[in-house]
Structures are given as structure tokens and as C-alpha cells.
């Protein structure tokens, strides 16, 4: 990510004890060469969560103590922190906000969508749920249902603490509480694949020479061994997590029909967690390169110029679990448009709904 491309800001939300910090630490430890900026929002004067990740992010972390981030009157404090992290000198690729366990996710999303800083953009809301305490949490915090309804991706954490039948019951309830099509990812000890939220850059050339990344990976492996099953294979969990997901790639030199492509996105299955890449529509007046980014239900298009000599084409990567790869490719093939130059400009309206506008005030950009 550079100063030209806005930095995605992902909100990590969930009630106290759900495992947000564990998820964040896992993302930091297994981020590859990706530079993550972190905003930790603790409730109370002792910032325990901030201290638990401070050794992993250094100057790229800012902490907002003493209350919920969403309680800020105009969000100016958050804006200032995001502006700091977005400074080119930090070379940040993605920003993760770990919200207070008592925060209102919808208000936080509203603040980010309304942010006018061109260097950052809202990148989706991830709601972490404690599987072992799901019923108790709903009873104590009825607003759980409202939070789930605005999530773009739901992570059911601590699945190792419940039996399969209980997990199936909770997953069915979460599916009913969340908006239609919201993806649900199961996890234990906060282990989700970072690729579901952001691109991992390759390790630096210092890999294997006790680089910062080496130390983090080594620390994560030792922690897994200490908390594993005693068989010494705890350090293999990253491969296991990644192996649980399927990746489908689609490329074509033929333009896509904006209407058929939006219809495809609107009907994407719940198991399709992430879509990334770029699209060429070729519609008169809309000849730009449209970068597409989807995390769960969250969807965004960012139009931009083609590079000098860059061929007009579409390139997409779809990541999910239990998805029909050949079926998805067939649907994308059906989106190809033989004569894009004859398409009417209004055919782009569906796409333009998900293009950021100045001073957006909508609460979310859900497909």
C-alpha cells in the first residue's frame, strides 16, 4: 500500500472476553511482511489489551483509553490517529481497530465511512463471538443481536470448547441473527487466516536472519506448543487454517457486464469470505480500472487509471470454504460482455453504489 492507494481500516468488534485481542495477536504474528497499524480502544484506565500487543507493533500502535471510541462526539480524535498511521513514512498496508468490548459497532462504522481523509477507507466490520458463552452473552447484552446484524464477517471463536451439536445450534442462531449471506468463520484460539481480511506481503529479504518477522513467528510457535495438545504439532496450525479455505482465480481479457457482475456479487454464497482484484467494464464514460474489495458482506469498488501500457482485463481471486469453484467460475464466465462499447452508462449504477463518495454518511456498504 502506498500514498496513492487508500489504506483499508478493519474494525474488530465483540463483547468482553470474546477473544478480540487473541484474534488480533494471531493476525499480527502471521501477517507475513504486511505492515499493520493498530488502534486499540480499551475501556478503563488500565489498558491491558494495549499492553498485550504493544511488543508486536511498536510505533504503529495508538491507544484510546478511558472509554469507548464510539462515544467521541465527532470522531475527530479517531481521525487524528488514523491520519498519523496513514503517514507515508510508516508504509502501513492495513489498519485494524480493536474496539472496546462495550463499543457500538454501527456508530464506529458510521464514523469511518464519514471520514474524509483520502488516505484511508473503511474495510469492513468483523464481529467476534465467544462460542462457550454465547447464550450468557446474549442474556446479559441483548444488543448482541443488533451488533450481529451489522457485521460483515462473524468469527465464532473458542469452538474447541463446545461439542459439535452445540456448535451447530449456535451457528444456526448466528445465521438467523446476522444479515442474509453474512459469512461465518469458526475458530479456536483466535486462529483465522489473515488472507480473509488483507493481503499478506512476502517476508523481507532478512527472513532467516533473525528479522523482526522471524522473532514474531518463533514466539507464536512457542506459544502454540505451550497451549497445544501436547503432541508437538501446535506450530503447524497456520497451515491447517489456510488449508481449510479454497482459492479460485478468474482472469479474462473480455470486459464484464456491470449488471451481471453485480448480480453475481449480490448472490454470492455465505461461504465466500473474500473477493479481491480488479475489473474492466469498458462502458462508455467508465473506462477506469475498478479495484474490487469484499470482506464478507462488505463490498467496495475503487476506480483508478490504468498503468501505462497495462492491458484492459479483469483479474479476481475468490477465497472461501465449501464453495463450488467450477460453479463460481462458470458464473463469472457468464458475466463477460461481448460488446461493452454499446452498453448504456446507466448500466453502471449498480457498481457506482459501492464507489466511495465524498462525505458519505451511510452506516455501511453492504451488498
Amino acid at each position: 500500500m502506498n500514498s496513492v492507494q487508500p489504506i483499508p481500516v478493519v474494525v474488530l468488534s465483540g463483547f468482553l472476553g470474546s477473544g478480540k485481542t487473541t484474534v488480533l495477536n494471531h493476525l499480527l504474528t502471521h501477517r507475513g511482511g504486511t505492515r499493520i497499524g493498530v488502534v486499540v480502544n480499551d475501556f478503563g484506565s488500565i489498558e491491558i489489551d494495549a499492553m498485550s500487543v504493544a511488543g508486536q507493533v511498536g510505533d504503529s500502535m495508538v491507544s484510546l483509553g478511558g472509554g469507548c471510541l464510539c462515544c467521541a462526539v465527532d470522531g475527530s480524535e479517531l481521525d487524528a490517529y488514523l491520519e498519523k498511521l496513514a503517514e507515508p513514512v510508516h508504509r502501513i498496508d492495513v489498519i485494524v481497530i480493536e474496539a472496546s468490548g462495550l463499543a457500538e459497532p454501527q456508530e464506529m462504522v458510521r464514523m469511518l465511512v464519514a471520514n474524509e481523509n483520502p488516505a484511508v477507507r473503511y474495510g469492513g466490520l468483523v464481529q467476534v463471538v465467544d462460542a462457550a458463552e454465547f447464550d450468557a452473552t446474549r442474556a446479559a447484552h441483548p444488543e448482541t443481536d443488533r451488533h450481529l446484524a451489522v457485521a460483515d464477517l462473524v468469527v465464532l471463536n473458542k469452538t474447541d470448547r463446545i461439542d459439535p451439536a452445540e456448535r451447530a445450534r449456535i451457528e444456526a442462531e448466528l445465521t438467523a441473527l446476522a444479515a442474509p449471506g453474512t459469512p461465518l468463520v469458526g475458530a479456536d484460539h483466535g486462529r483465522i487466516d489473515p488472507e480473509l481480511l488483507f493481503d499478506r506481503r512476502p517476508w523481507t529479504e532478512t527472513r532467516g536472519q533473525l528479522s523482526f518477522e522471524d522473532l514474531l513467528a518463533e514466539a507464536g510457535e512457542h506459544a502454540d506448543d505451550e497451549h497445544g495438545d501436547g503432541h508437538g504439532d501446535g506450530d503447524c496450525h497456520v497451515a491447517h487454517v489456510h488449508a481449510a479455505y479454497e482459492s479460485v482465480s478468474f482472469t479474462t481479457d473480455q470486459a464484464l457486464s456491470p449488471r451481471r457482475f453485480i448480480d453475481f456479487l449480490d448472490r454470492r454464497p455465505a461461504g465466500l469470505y473474500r473477493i479481491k482484484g480488479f475489473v474492466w467494464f469498458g462502458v462508455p464514460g467508465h473506462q477506469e480500472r475498478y479495484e474490487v474489495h469484499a470482506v464478507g458482506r462488505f463490498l467496495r469498488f475503487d476506480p483508478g487509471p490504468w498503468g501505462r501500457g497495462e492491458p484492459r482485463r479483469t483479474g479476481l481471486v475468490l477465497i472461501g470454504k465449501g464453495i463450488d469453484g467450477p460453479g463460481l467460475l462458470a458464473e463469472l464466465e457468464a458475466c463477460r460482455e461481448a460488446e461493452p462499447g454499446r452498453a448504456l452508462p446507466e448500466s453502471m449504477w449498480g457498481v457506482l453504489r459501492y464507489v466511495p463518495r465524498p462525505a458519505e454518511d451511510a452506516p455501511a456498504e453492504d451488498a
Side-chain angles (χ1 to χ4, degrees):
M1 194 66 62
N2 53 42
S3 59
V4 176
Q5 293 291 336
I7 301 171
V9 181
V10 178
V11 178
L12 193 60
S13 182
F15 280 105
L16 299 169
S18 61
K20 299 185 304 297
T21 300
T22 305
V23 171
L24 175 58
N25 277 319
H26 177 78
L27 294 175
L28 291 170
T29 305
H30 302 99
R31 73 193 192 284
T34 302
R35 295 180 65 87
I36 304 177
V38 180
V39 176
V40 178
N41 172 217
D42 296 311
F43 190 87
S45 58
I46 302 176
E47 300 174 352
I48 299 174
D49 288 348
M51 291 188 291
S52 70
V53 298
Q56 298 196 34
V57 292
D59 292 338
S60 296
M61 185 188 76
V62 292
S63 182
L64 309 177
C68 296
L69 188 60
C70 61
C71 293
V73 175
D74 59 5
S76 59
E77 187 177 16
L78 173 62
D79 291 346
Y81 284 126
L82 292 178
E83 184 175 356
K84 173 185 176 182
L85 287 173
E87 291 176 357
V89 67
H90 297 307
R91 296 184 292 114
I92 296 295
D93 297 301
V94 61
I95 297 172
V96 177
I97 298 179
E98 183 192 347
S100 159
L102 301 179
E104 278 292 337
Q106 189 166 8
E107 288 304 307
M108 192 168 295
V109 170
R110 181 191 60 77
M111 290 163 56
L112 289 170
V113 172
N115 188 294
E116 298 183 13
N117 184 349
V120 298
R121 59 176 171 83
Y122 173 59
L125 170 66
V126 179
Q127 184 77 12
V128 182
V129 175
D130 184 340
E133 300 294 334
F134 175 65
D135 293 328
T137 299
R138 284 191 73 195
H141 303 283
E143 60 269 32
T144 298
D145 296 4
R146 185 175 68 251
H147 295 182
L148 288 166
V150 299
D152 295 301
L153 178 69
V154 177
V155 175
L156 181 60
N157 194 28
K158 306 184 186 180
T159 55
D160 56 310
R161 296 178 55 189
I162 57 176
D163 59 41
E166 181 71 355
R167 175 173 177 174
R169 179 188 69 84
I170 294 174
E171 288 182 341
E173 291 196 36
L174 290 172
T175 299
L177 291 169
T182 302
L184 172 62
V185 180
D188 63 85
H189 300 90
R191 297 167 181 167
I192 65 171
D193 194 331
E195 290 284 349
L196 299 183
L197 304 181
F198 55 80
D199 292 335
R200 277 183 293 191
R201 291 182 179 275
W203 293 100
T204 64
E205 63 274 9
T206 60
R207 179 69 170 157
Q209 302 177 20
L210 287 182
S211 66
F212 183 57
E213 288 88 348
D214 282 314
L215 296 175
L216 283 179
E218 183 178 353
E221 290 166 1
H222 287 324
D224 290 331
D225 285 335
E226 292 174 4
H227 300 290
D229 58 10
H231 297 291
D233 59 355
D235 57 349
C236 296
H237 77 268
V238 179
H240 294 328
V241 169
H242 188 73
Y245 304 108
E246 304 166 56
S247 177
V248 177
S249 298
F250 173 78
T251 59
T252 179
D253 292 327
Q254 197 167 337
L256 296 192
S257 161
R259 286 176 172 163
R260 291 199 292 273
F261 186 57
I262 285 294
D263 183 58
F264 165 79
L265 293 174
D266 286 343
R267 294 182 292 101
R268 63 190 186 272
L272 185 54
Y273 301 136
R274 189 174 181 219
I275 302 173
K276 59 181 180 178
F278 52 91
V279 183
W280 175 47
F281 294 112
V283 175
H286 301 279
Q287 300 284 341
E288 301 96 330
R289 179 183 190 270
Y290 281 81
E291 181 182 352
V292 60
H293 173 73
V295 173
R297 292 187 308 128
F298 173 79
L299 175 64
R300 185 184 186 104
F301 286 96
D302 286 298
W306 295 90
R308 184 183 298 273
E310 183 179 4
R312 276 35 173 180
R313 64 200 315 258
T314 291
L316 298 169
V317 176
L318 297 81
I319 302 173
K321 183 177 181 181
I323 56 177
D324 177 9
L328 291 174
L329 290 176
E331 289 189 56
L332 287 170
E333 288 286 350
C335 292
R336 298 199 300 176
E337 179 60 65
E339 298 181 280
R342 299 182 63 180
L344 298 176
E346 50 264 36
S347 66
M348 287 291 295
W349 287 352
V351 172
L352 298 178
R353 286 175 52 207
Y354 300 102
V355 170
R357 300 180 301 276
E360 282 183 306
D361 56 7
E365 296 181 26
D366 297 331

